[in-house]
Amino acid sequence: MSSGFTLSPHLTLQLPESVAAWRAELRHLGVPPVVAVAGSRGKSTVVHLLDAMLAEAGLRTATWTDEGVRILGRKQRGELLPWTRAMKQTASGELDLAVQELDWDTVHAVGLPRAAYPVVGITNLCANSDACLLSDETIRAMRALQTIREATHPEGMLVLNGDDWAVAGGEVEAEPNAILVTLNRDTPLVRSHLRRERLAAWIEEDLLRFGRDGDHQPLLSLADAAITGKGSVGFQTVNTLVAVGLARAVGLEFAPIVGALRSFTTEPERLPGSFNLVAVEGATVIVDRPMAPWFLRQPLRAVGHLPGRRQVRVVGRLDGIADAELTETGRLLGRGGGLIIIHDDVGAAERRELLLHGIAANDLPPVVVHTKSESAALTALLKVLRPDDTVYILADDPRSVLRRLQRAVQQTSQQPTATSTETGSGPDFSESTGAPSAKPR
C-alpha cells in the first residue's frame, strides 16, 4: 500500500494490485493481515460476505464473529486460543488473512492496540437518528469508534458508510485513504468525496459501481446480488457495498467479488437472526433480532416490499431495547394491521404495556394475541399461517426459532398432499378480540 492517513488531501489513494502485494507491503510495515469490521448492525454479515469473496478467490482465511472463530471455514472450539493460532498462521503464511468483528462495548471496555489494523470497515452507527445519538449505548459506541480509528494503521484504509454522518462525517475530508459507500452518490458527503477523486462504492441505475467519479467499474446488477433482494433490502445493499470496499482495499480482483455476490445469502447456521428468509407453507418468514426503532425501520421497509397480503409479527422480550423506546417500537411493528403474536417468557408486564400502547397508536391497529413463550408463539403462528403471509419475527433465540421453522418445512415436505394451509382445530386468530381497538388518549 503506497498511501495512508499522512497523504496530502490532493494525492490519490492507490489500491494494492493484489492480495499478495498487500501482504508484502504489510510485512514491510510489520502489520498483521487482519481486516476489522465494526458497526451497530450488519458487521457479522459483512465479515461473512467478505470471507465468501476471499474464498471465491481461493484464499485461506480465518474469521472471528459473535458466532465464534472459523479457520478455513471450520468452526473452532473456544475463541481466544483458536484466534491466537489463526494469527500465528497468518504470520507464517499458512493463512492469507483474517477478518475480525469488533463489538462497540468490548472495544470501549478493553480498548485496542494502536495502529494494529491495516483495513477497517464501519457499517453504521446511528442511521442519522438524533434519538440514537443521545442514547448511552451510542455515547459508548462513539468512544469506541474513536478507539477503532486510532487502531487503524497510519498507512491503512477505512471503508465507511457515507450515508451515516456519525460514521463518515466530520473527519472524513481529512482522510484521503477512506473509501465511502452509499446508496446514492448525490449524498453531499459522498459527492464532495468523489469531487476530490477519492474512492467510493455506490448504486446507480440499479448497478453496483466502484471507483472514482470519472473512472468507475460497474460490477453487477442489484437483481443479481442475492443478499439484496433485488435491491429492495436497503440495509443489506449497504452491507454489500462495505464488503466490496473492503475486498478492494486488500487487493481482491472484481471477478471473485462478483462471483460471491451472486450466491451469498445469510445462512442460518452462521448468521442466525440476520434477516434470514425461510419459505414455510407458501408464506415468507423472516427471522431477525430485536433492534432499536431507528434501525427497525430499515428491515420493516424491506419486509413491506415482499409479496404477501397479510403482515404477521412475532415479538417477545425485545432484549436490548430500552423501556423508553418500546412505544415507538410497538408503533412501527403495528403499522399495516394484520396480526401480532406477543410472548413474554419473563412476565415483564410494564414493558408489554408500553409495547401495546405503541401498537394501539396506529390508525388501523393489528390483531394482538398473547402467548406464554417463544415456543408457544411459534406453535400459534404455524397453526394460522397462510400461503400469502409475510411474517417478521424478532426472535429472543434466533437459532431455536430457525430450527423450529426448518422442522416445519421438513414435515410439510414429507406430506404428499400437503398443499393446503388448513389448520385443523387450531385457534382462528383472525377474529381475536385481543387487539387494542382504539388509539390511546
Side-chain angles (χ1 to χ4, degrees), residues 24-55:
E25 181 65 16
L26 294 185
R27 283 195 296 272
H28 175 71
L29 295 172
V31 179
V34 181
V35 176
V37 182
S40 299
R41 298 282 299 176
K43 51 190 178 292
S44 294
T45 299
V46 170
V47 168
H48 286 294
L49 177 51
L50 175 60
D51 189 53
M53 294 172 178
L54 298 169

Side-chain angles (χ1 to χ4, degrees), residues 44-75:
S44 294
T45 299
V46 170
V47 168
H48 286 294
L49 177 51
L50 175 60
D51 189 53
M53 294 172 178
L54 298 169
E56 184 80 11
L59 296 167
R60 302 158 299 174
T61 64
T63 61
W64 189 5
T65 68
D66 60 3
E67 180 240 0
V69 175
R70 288 180 179 267
I71 298 177
L72 298 174
R74 293 190 293 272
K75 180 76 178 292

Side-chain angles (χ1 to χ4, degrees), residues 17 107 115 143 146 287 299 349 352 384 397:
E17 295 181 358
V107 171
R143 292 170 181 163
Q146 182 58 36
V287 180
R352 182 172 62 246
V384 299
D397 185 349

Side-chain angles (χ1 to χ4, degrees), residues 183 203 222 227-228 231-242:
L183 296 177
I203 305 300
L222 279 180
I227 193 177
T228 70
S232 65
V233 186
F235 65 93
Q236 294 289 39
T237 303
V238 172
N239 291 337
T240 296
L241 292 167
V242 173

Side-chain angles (χ1 to χ4, degrees), residues 249-282:
V250 303
L252 200 62
E253 296 179 351
F254 284 118
I257 293 174
V258 172
L261 288 178
R262 292 183 184 277
S263 59
F264 180 84
T265 59
T266 52
E267 301 175 28
E269 178 188 356
R270 296 192 182 193
L271 291 162
S274 296
F275 206 78
N276 309 113
L277 273 72
V278 183
V280 183
E281 298 186 22

Side-chain angles (χ1 to χ4, degrees), residues 191-353:
R191 189 168 63 242
S192 173
H193 185 78
L194 287 170
R195 277 202 302 264
R196 290 175 168 83
E197 289 300 309
R198 295 176 182 174
L199 288 166
W202 69 91
I203 305 300
E204 187 175 353
E205 297 178 346
D206 290 327
L207 291 174
L208 192 158
R209 299 173 184 270
F210 181 89
R212 295 182 172 85
D213 191 20
D215 180 20
H216 52 265
Q217 173 77 32
L219 273 68
L220 81 168
S221 168
L222 279 180
D224 296 324
I227 193 177
T228 70
K230 299 183 178 181
S232 65
V233 186
F235 65 93
Q236 294 289 39
T237 303
V238 172
N239 291 337
T240 296
L241 292 167
V242 173
V244 169
L246 292 170
R248 294 295 293 144
V250 303
L252 200 62
E253 296 179 351
F254 284 118
I257 293 174
V258 172
L261 288 178
R262 292 183 184 277
S263 59
F264 180 84
T265 59
T266 52
E267 301 175 28
E269 178 188 356
R270 296 192 182 193
L271 291 162
S274 296
F275 206 78
N276 309 113
L277 273 72
V278 183
V280 183
E281 298 186 22
T284 301
V285 182
I286 302 98
V287 180
D288 217 336
R289 296 176 186 268
M291 66 197 80
W294 42 84
F295 286 116
L296 182 61
R297 290 184 179 90
Q298 298 174 14
L300 284 177
R301 190 177 300 119
V303 170
H305 286 110
L306 296 173
R309 295 182 60 187
R310 182 176 66 161
Q311 299 287 329
V312 182
R313 313 280 191 251
V314 180
V315 298
R317 296 191 306 266
L318 297 175
D319 294 337
I321 299 181
D323 290 357
E325 298 158 6
L326 283 172
T327 297
E328 176 63 7
T329 299
R331 188 185 69 81
L332 293 172
L333 289 170
R335 284 178 174 176
L339 169 67
I340 292 185
I341 303 174
I342 295 177
H343 60 87
D344 189 350
D345 294 339
V346 294
E350 292 181 2
R351 285 176 59 82
R352 182 172 62 246
E353 289 305 314

Side-chain angles (χ1 to χ4, degrees), residues 9 54 79 99 126 140 144 155 267 306 338 393 415:
L54 298 169
E79 296 192 8
V99 189
C126 258
R140 292 194 300 272
E155 295 290 331
E267 301 175 28
L306 296 173
I393 302 176
Q415 299 174 10

